[in-house]
Amino acid sequence: HWQRPLSLSPPSVALKSEIKKLIYMHVGIWLLLLAQMCVGHLKLLPHDQVAMPYQWEYPYLLSILPSLLGLLSFPRNNISYLVLSMISTGLFSVAPLIYGAMEMFPMAQQLYRHGKAYRFIFGFSAVSFMCLVVVVAAQVHGWQLYYSKKLLDSWFTSTQEKKKK
């Protein structure tokens, strides 16, 4: 019976492609937050133009590490790097987003109940803008974890098939 090559199995290639797209989206979000931090701390623009970062944004900067580990796992189908990427995504990406949602909730509640915003990013309410960032980032990381788990399963299956031979 016919067997497909283990190193270039179509599911693995397709999953890697999806994960890479999500990593690039994550890098875009990460760069936006980094830019806000630089502008805020270096006082490149007045704080009424670009608000200082929320507390959750600082640990979120570490979220670039899981993405790099994910990319490093691809060339040789390195299961260890992929597992480390998945674990660190929870610690450095998802956990700061959960904290951020809790940190911003009272400010969002005040904005929507009383119409009062105290921080702005280019004229938009900072809390509204950052809540949108949290929602998009949570989806990116959620899909990244989902596809990484499927890729990990694919690699385990491939490894088991190699051992049977």
Side-chain angles (χ1 to χ4, degrees):
H1 78 104
W2 179 84
Q3 286 185 326
R4 62 181 180 233
L6 296 176
S7 61
L8 294 175
S9 61
S12 181
V13 172
L15 290 167
K16 285 180 186 179
S17 173
E18 290 302 313
I19 295 169
K20 281 181 187 176
K21 289 175 196 171
L22 290 164
I23 288 173
Y24 298 144
M25 289 177 67
H26 169 239
V27 169
I29 294 167
W30 187 84
L31 288 172
L32 282 173
L33 293 180
L34 182 64
Q36 180 204 4
M37 286 185 178
C38 291
V39 168
H41 286 288
L42 299 175
K43 297 179 180 143
L44 300 175
L45 292 172
H47 288 162
D48 62 344
Q49 281 260 291
V50 176
M52 286 296 289
Y54 289 100
Q55 291 299 309
W56 69 268
E57 294 177 63
Y58 298 101
Y60 188 79
L61 283 183
L62 295 173
S63 69
I64 201 69
L65 298 175
S67 290
L68 293 176
L69 285 169
L71 289 174
L72 287 173
S73 73
F74 293 160
R76 295 184 157 233
N77 295 354
N78 190 312
I79 290 174
S80 300
Y81 281 165
L82 187 60
V83 168
L84 284 173
S85 171
M86 292 170 68
I87 292 168
S88 58
T89 293
L91 292 172
F92 301 133
S93 304
V94 176
L97 293 175
I98 292 169
Y99 177 77
M102 291 187 308
E103 178 187 10
M104 295 185 304
F105 182 76
M107 290 165 268
Q109 199 173 27
Q110 184 173 9
L111 174 65
Y112 295 113
R113 282 190 181 164
H114 306 292
K116 294 185 181 188
Y118 299 101
R119 300 168 85 178
F120 297 92
I121 297 176
F122 296 115
F124 295 98
S125 159
V127 73
S128 296
F129 182 77
M130 296 313 289
C131 282
L132 180 62
V133 168
V134 166
V135 167
V136 171
Q139 290 180 38
V140 167
H141 294 302
W143 284 108
Q144 190 176 348
L145 284 170
Y146 173 76
Y147 286 130
S148 293
K149 173 67 170 97
K150 289 183 74 81
L151 182 60
L152 189 63
D153 292 344
S154 167
W155 288 353
F156 272 129
T157 303
S158 171
T159 303
Q160 294 305 319
E161 288 174 7
K162 284 180 186 177
K163 285 181 180 178
K164 286 179 183 176
K165 287 185 175 185

